[in-house]
Amino acid sequence: MMLLSRTASSLYWLGRYNERADVIARIIEATVRLDVLSSRPAGEIAWSSALKVTDTEEDFAAAGAALTQTQVVKFLALDTSHPGSVIQCLAMARDNARAVRTALSRDAWTAINRAWLLFENRSGVGGTATTLNMVEAVKTETRGFEGAVHRMLRNQATWFVRLGQAIERADNTARLLDVKYHILLPEGEKVGGALDRDQWTTILQAVSAVTAYRWLYSDGLRSANVIDLLVTRKEMPRSLAASIEEVVDILGHLARQTGSHGEADRMARMRGARAGRTRSNEIIASGLHQYLQSFIAENAQLHGAIGRQFRFG
């Protein structure tokens, strides 16, 4: 028996908003670290890139604030005037969780509620140390929610939450990796130099992949290896390949439990088949930015197909 469409939709969006809050926090953390490592012009480019990958450039420009760490962090963390801030994502996650409260475990609800409460009465972001502490607190609670979902009964409620997480994670990893495309090295800095390596390391830190990288690659930090890890390696939970595979698996579970499948299943399997044939050196040769932009667009199409297949409102 299929869940009511509005219930399935709330569970799916709960997963998406929780994951999105986590990644915006990670983008803030990564950009703070890049800013510390960069000269002033490169730091401004780093903050501009953070707005670009969160698709909030126009909203920030409309606000008329200066392109500084304090202003961008406040905008991405605390601003309630646009949907791309951590506080807004957590508020939407909490609203969706409240709508399906009986489908969640107490631990899952508590993690979401606690994450939202982190921002109660918070009006500023403080300095670098305070910002990083705030980000770490958000990451702790969003990871706590993810862990609670993994401990829930393997029913439709769980699969819809995890489906939302997997779709959002695929989009977020593509955008995080694309950050590097938008960050230019200052004049005098060379590709493969210290700053270039620091920037790639920061990308790995943002997806908790520094240790995984060291386990899998023995020839030091190379951009080609980072791309290989985050695009094609299924062992890496936040890689595009792992997210692609997870979506196929979850849709399979839902098909077995509901007795039906459709457009989203076909699209996900086709994407999975293509991903299985994709090699990182081919992506680099044909253009990483172009590949990632195409992937983001296809992921959005799959999201739409999921909504149609399960009749989300």
Side-chain angles (χ1 to χ4, degrees):
M1 182 177 175
M2 178 67 189
L3 287 175
L4 291 174
S5 60
R6 64 177 178 272
T7 300
S9 178
S10 291
L11 290 161
Y12 174 84
W13 278 107
L14 166 57
R16 289 208 67 159
Y17 280 122
N18 180 77
E19 188 70 26
R20 191 174 301 175
D22 179 77
V23 83
I24 295 171
R26 289 171 181 273
I27 288 170
I28 292 170
E29 179 184 31
T31 313
V32 166
R33 297 187 189 283
L34 282 173
D35 196 2
V36 169
L37 293 167
S38 301
S39 66
R40 184 70 258 160
E44 291 174 358
I45 291 170
W47 285 112
S48 177
S49 75
L51 294 168
K52 189 172 187 67
V53 297
T54 54
D55 198 25
T56 55
E57 278 183 307
E58 291 185 7
D59 290 324
F60 184 81
L67 192 62
T68 64
Q69 174 178 314
T70 299
Q71 293 298 326
V72 177
V73 170
K74 184 175 181 180
F75 184 77
L76 290 179
L78 304 178
D79 198 312
T80 58
S81 68
H82 67 99
S85 65
V86 175
I87 189 171
Q88 285 293 84
C89 289
L90 291 175
M92 292 300 295
R94 185 174 183 267
D95 286 347
N96 279 287
R98 190 162 47 192
V100 292
R101 177 68 185 84
T102 57
L104 301 174
S105 68
R106 183 167 59 181
D107 286 348
W109 163 254
T110 298
I112 282 293
N113 193 50
R114 205 161 45 207
W116 179 76
L117 288 172
L118 287 172
F119 292 89
E120 190 176 34
N121 300 322
R122 182 187 284 270
S123 59
V125 294
T128 296
T130 303
T131 294
L132 292 176
N133 287 338
M134 175 188 68
V135 164
E136 193 58 40
V138 172
K139 287 163 55 182
T140 296
E141 298 302 345
T142 53
R143 286 196 302 261
F145 171 76
E146 184 174 1
V149 170
H150 277 269
R151 294 190 298 273
M152 282 170 49
L153 187 68
R154 297 292 192 266
N155 57 15
Q156 289 181 52
T158 297
W159 296 127
F160 275 114
V161 173
R162 291 181 62 178
L163 181 60
Q165 289 175 321
I167 289 290
E168 186 69 27
R169 188 176 298 125
D171 184 76
N172 292 337
T173 295
R175 291 179 184 277
L176 273 171
L177 190 53
D178 209 27
V179 167
K180 181 57 174 155
Y181 174 85
H182 296 290
I183 297 176
L184 303 178
L185 288 171
E187 187 175 354
E189 294 284 348
K190 64 179 181 178
V191 173
L195 182 56
D196 189 41
R197 291 195 303 273
D198 287 339
Q199 290 175 347
W200 282 112
T201 299
T202 302
I203 299 302
L204 290 174
Q205 289 171 339
V207 292
S208 302
V210 173
T211 301
Y213 182 93
R214 290 170 180 161
W215 282 345
L216 292 171
Y217 305 97
S218 59
D219 52 347
L221 184 63
R222 297 178 58 241
S223 59
N225 289 343
V226 178
I227 293 166
D228 182 64
L229 176 67
L230 297 185
V231 175
T232 67
R233 299 299 291 259
K234 293 181 181 180
E235 311 96 303
M236 176 61 205
R238 289 184 179 272
S239 72
L240 300 188
S243 297
I244 289 168
E245 184 176 62
E246 188 172 6
V247 169
V248 173
D249 290 345
I250 292 170
L251 286 171
H253 285 297
L254 285 170
R256 287 188 290 275
Q257 291 187 1
T258 63
S260 64
H261 63 275
E263 176 189 7
D265 298 85
R266 292 189 292 273
M267 286 183 64
R269 287 196 299 268
M270 288 175 62
R271 185 174 72 163
R274 287 197 307 275
R277 298 190 297 269
T278 301
R279 299 293 177 267
S280 58
N281 61 331
E282 296 170 355
I283 293 170
I284 294 169
S286 61
L288 175 63
H289 177 61
Q290 290 75 13
Y291 175 85
L292 292 172
Q293 289 296 300
S294 176
F295 179 90
I296 290 167
E298 183 180 36
N299 200 60
Q301 291 170 357
L302 179 54
H303 159 74
I306 289 169
R308 290 189 294 274
Q309 180 171 319
F310 296 107
R311 299 187 177 132
F312 293 169

mmCIF file of all heavy atoms in Angstrom, residues 1 16 33 38 40 87 92 106 124 141 181 190 220 233 236 242 246 280 311:
data_model
loop_
_atom_site.group_PDB
_atom_site.id
_atom_site.type_symbol
_atom_site.label_atom_id
_atom_site.label_comp_id
_atom_site.label_asym_id
_atom_site.label_seq_id
_atom_site.Cartn_x
_atom_site.Cartn_y
_atom_site.Cartn_z
ATOM 1 N N MET A 1 0.843 -1.197 0.000
ATOM 2 C CA MET A 1 0.000 0.000 0.000
ATOM 3 C C MET A 1 0.876 1.244 0.000
ATOM 4 O O MET A 1 1.829 1.358 0.754
ATOM 5 C CB MET A 1 -0.903 0.010 1.231
ATOM 6 C CG MET A 1 -1.847 1.190 1.289
ATOM 7 S SD MET A 1 -2.940 1.074 2.731
ATOM 8 C CE MET A 1 -3.793 2.628 2.588
ATOM 9 N N ARG A 16 15.545 16.187 1.892
ATOM 10 C CA ARG A 16 16.256 17.168 1.074
ATOM 11 C C ARG A 16 16.682 18.377 1.898
ATOM 12 O O ARG A 16 17.832 18.831 1.819
ATOM 13 C CB ARG A 16 15.397 17.621 -0.102
ATOM 14 C CG ARG A 16 15.211 16.559 -1.181
ATOM 15 C CD ARG A 16 14.983 17.157 -2.569
ATOM 16 N NE ARG A 16 16.169 17.843 -3.049
ATOM 17 C CZ ARG A 16 16.409 18.106 -4.337
ATOM 18 N NH1 ARG A 16 15.552 17.747 -5.266
ATOM 19 N NH2 ARG A 16 17.497 18.748 -4.708
ATOM 20 N N ARG A 33 37.690 28.674 5.445
ATOM 21 C CA ARG A 33 39.063 28.164 5.416
ATOM 22 C C ARG A 33 39.800 28.649 4.165
ATOM 23 O O ARG A 33 40.991 28.971 4.224
ATOM 24 C CB ARG A 33 39.050 26.637 5.500
ATOM 25 C CG ARG A 33 38.455 26.122 6.802
ATOM 26 C CD ARG A 33 38.610 24.622 6.955
ATOM 27 N NE ARG A 33 37.862 24.108 8.095
ATOM 28 C CZ ARG A 33 38.239 24.219 9.368
ATOM 29 N NH1 ARG A 33 39.371 24.838 9.669
ATOM 30 N NH2 ARG A 33 37.498 23.709 10.333
ATOM 31 N N SER A 38 43.714 32.538 1.494
ATOM 32 C CA SER A 38 43.846 33.313 0.266
ATOM 33 C C SER A 38 44.297 34.735 0.527
ATOM 34 O O SER A 38 44.166 35.271 1.624
ATOM 35 C CB SER A 38 42.494 33.365 -0.467
ATOM 36 O OG SER A 38 42.044 32.076 -0.787
ATOM 37 N N ARG A 40 43.562 38.759 -0.361
ATOM 38 C CA ARG A 40 42.258 39.427 -0.319
ATOM 39 C C ARG A 40 41.425 39.236 -1.590
ATOM 40 O O ARG A 40 40.246 38.877 -1.515
ATOM 41 C CB ARG A 40 42.470 40.922 -0.031
ATOM 42 C CG ARG A 40 41.184 41.704 0.140
ATOM 43 C CD ARG A 40 40.509 41.308 1.427
ATOM 44 N NE ARG A 40 39.405 40.407 1.195
ATOM 45 C CZ ARG A 40 38.877 39.622 2.103
ATOM 46 N NH1 ARG A 40 39.375 39.591 3.312
ATOM 47 N NH2 ARG A 40 37.866 38.842 1.835
ATOM 48 N N ILE A 87 19.145 28.484 8.250
ATOM 49 C CA ILE A 87 17.987 28.595 9.143
ATOM 50 C C ILE A 87 16.679 28.322 8.402
ATOM 51 O O ILE A 87 15.775 27.676 8.932
ATOM 52 C CB ILE A 87 17.950 29.987 9.828
ATOM 53 C CG1 ILE A 87 16.881 29.995 10.915
ATOM 54 C CG2 ILE A 87 17.741 31.103 8.830
ATOM 55 C CD1 ILE A 87 16.908 31.242 11.786
ATOM 56 N N MET A 92 12.172 24.620 7.228
ATOM 57 C CA MET A 92 11.371 23.823 6.300
ATOM 58 C C MET A 92 11.458 22.340 6.646
ATOM 59 O O MET A 92 10.474 21.605 6.556
ATOM 60 C CB MET A 92 11.833 24.071 4.870
ATOM 61 C CG MET A 92 11.532 25.469 4.356
ATOM 62 S SD MET A 92 9.767 25.867 4.359
ATOM 63 C CE MET A 92 9.147 24.693 3.157
ATOM 64 N N ARG A 106 11.488 8.963 17.599
ATOM 65 C CA ARG A 106 11.715 10.088 18.497
ATOM 66 C C ARG A 106 13.096 10.692 18.277
ATOM 67 O O ARG A 106 13.271 11.917 18.326
ATOM 68 C CB ARG A 106 11.569 9.636 19.956
ATOM 69 C CG ARG A 106 11.730 10.793 20.947
ATOM 70 C CD ARG A 106 11.271 10.412 22.344
ATOM 71 N NE ARG A 106 12.015 9.280 22.876
ATOM 72 C CZ ARG A 106 11.771 8.746 24.079
ATOM 73 N NH1 ARG A 106 10.794 9.225 24.827
ATOM 74 N NH2 ARG A 106 12.489 7.726 24.510
ATOM 75 N N GLY A 124 23.531 37.192 15.152
ATOM 76 C CA GLY A 124 24.810 37.437 14.491
ATOM 77 C C GLY A 124 25.633 36.170 14.390
ATOM 78 O O GLY A 124 25.322 35.163 15.032
ATOM 79 N N GLU A 141 24.021 17.978 14.332
ATOM 80 C CA GLU A 141 22.589 17.664 14.402
ATOM 81 C C GLU A 141 22.072 17.065 13.096
ATOM 82 O O GLU A 141 21.232 16.144 13.128
ATOM 83 C CB GLU A 141 21.788 18.922 14.760
ATOM 84 C CG GLU A 141 22.131 19.526 16.115
ATOM 85 C CD GLU A 141 21.935 18.561 17.275
ATOM 86 O OE1 GLU A 141 21.283 17.513 17.107
ATOM 87 O OE2 GLU A 141 22.451 18.856 18.374
ATOM 88 N N TYR A 181 36.004 25.298 -9.803
ATOM 89 C CA TYR A 181 35.985 25.908 -11.132
ATOM 90 C C TYR A 181 35.838 27.426 -11.037
ATOM 91 O O TYR A 181 36.407 28.163 -11.840
ATOM 92 C CB TYR A 181 34.826 25.327 -11.946
ATOM 93 C CG TYR A 181 34.633 25.989 -13.292
ATOM 94 C CD1 TYR A 181 35.367 25.577 -14.408
ATOM 95 C CD2 TYR A 181 33.707 27.019 -13.448
ATOM 96 C CE1 TYR A 181 35.186 26.188 -15.628
ATOM 97 C CE2 TYR A 181 33.528 27.625 -14.674
ATOM 98 C CZ TYR A 181 34.263 27.210 -15.770
ATOM 99 O OH TYR A 181 34.081 27.820 -16.984
ATOM 100 N N LYS A 190 50.524 29.286 -9.040
ATOM 101 C CA LYS A 190 50.496 28.338 -10.151
ATOM 102 C C LYS A 190 49.586 27.150 -9.845
ATOM 103 O O LYS A 190 49.370 26.787 -8.686
ATOM 104 C CB LYS A 190 51.898 27.841 -10.473
ATOM 105 C CG LYS A 190 52.558 27.049 -9.352
ATOM 106 C CD LYS A 190 53.951 26.578 -9.780
ATOM 107 C CE LYS A 190 54.607 25.751 -8.663
ATOM 108 N NZ LYS A 190 55.936 25.248 -9.066
ATOM 109 N N GLY A 220 50.048 11.449 -3.457
ATOM 110 C CA GLY A 220 49.890 12.831 -3.034
ATOM 111 C C GLY A 220 48.604 13.447 -3.558
ATOM 112 O O GLY A 220 47.797 12.794 -4.220
ATOM 113 N N ARG A 233 33.906 7.144 -7.635
ATOM 114 C CA ARG A 233 34.188 6.094 -6.651
ATOM 115 C C ARG A 233 32.968 5.829 -5.772
ATOM 116 O O ARG A 233 32.593 6.641 -4.930
ATOM 117 C CB ARG A 233 35.390 6.483 -5.786
ATOM 118 C CG ARG A 233 36.690 6.675 -6.534
ATOM 119 C CD ARG A 233 37.151 5.398 -7.244
ATOM 120 N NE ARG A 233 37.578 4.370 -6.325
ATOM 121 C CZ ARG A 233 38.862 4.095 -6.046
ATOM 122 N NH1 ARG A 233 39.841 4.792 -6.621
ATOM 123 N NH2 ARG A 233 39.167 3.117 -5.214
ATOM 124 N N MET A 236 32.976 6.047 -1.806
ATOM 125 C CA MET A 236 32.892 7.344 -1.147
ATOM 126 C C MET A 236 31.423 7.745 -1.013
ATOM 127 O O MET A 236 30.761 8.013 -2.017
ATOM 128 C CB MET A 236 33.665 8.378 -1.975
ATOM 129 C CG MET A 236 33.589 9.799 -1.446
ATOM 130 S SD MET A 236 34.271 9.910 0.221
ATOM 131 C CE MET A 236 33.386 11.347 0.824
ATOM 132 N N ALA A 242 28.090 7.134 -5.803
ATOM 133 C CA ALA A 242 27.392 6.524 -4.666
ATOM 134 C C ALA A 242 25.957 7.027 -4.580
ATOM 135 O O ALA A 242 25.027 6.253 -4.321
ATOM 136 C CB ALA A 242 28.137 6.837 -3.372
ATOM 137 N N GLU A 246 22.571 4.836 -4.941
ATOM 138 C CA GLU A 246 21.623 4.824 -3.837
ATOM 139 C C GLU A 246 20.210 5.150 -4.320
ATOM 140 O O GLU A 246 19.232 4.539 -3.871
ATOM 141 C CB GLU A 246 22.046 5.820 -2.757
ATOM 142 C CG GLU A 246 21.213 5.727 -1.494
ATOM 143 C CD GLU A 246 21.751 6.579 -0.368
ATOM 144 O OE1 GLU A 246 22.705 7.349 -0.576
ATOM 145 O OE2 GLU A 246 21.188 6.475 0.746
ATOM 146 N N SER A 280 36.861 9.123 -14.974
ATOM 147 C CA SER A 280 37.209 10.487 -14.573
ATOM 148 C C SER A 280 38.127 11.170 -15.585
ATOM 149 O O SER A 280 38.018 12.382 -15.814
ATOM 150 C CB SER A 280 37.864 10.486 -13.188
ATOM 151 O OG SER A 280 39.016 9.670 -13.165
ATOM 152 N N ARG A 311 3.259 11.434 -7.242
ATOM 153 C CA ARG A 311 2.149 12.404 -7.164
ATOM 154 C C ARG A 311 2.311 13.377 -5.998
ATOM 155 O O ARG A 311 1.356 13.622 -5.245
ATOM 156 C CB ARG A 311 0.810 11.658 -7.067
ATOM 157 C CG ARG A 311 0.538 10.787 -8.276
ATOM 158 C CD ARG A 311 -0.830 10.202 -8.241
ATOM 159 N NE ARG A 311 -1.061 9.410 -9.488
ATOM 160 C CZ ARG A 311 -1.553 8.205 -9.500
ATOM 161 N NH1 ARG A 311 -1.887 7.602 -8.361
ATOM 162 N NH2 ARG A 311 -1.752 7.571 -10.635
#
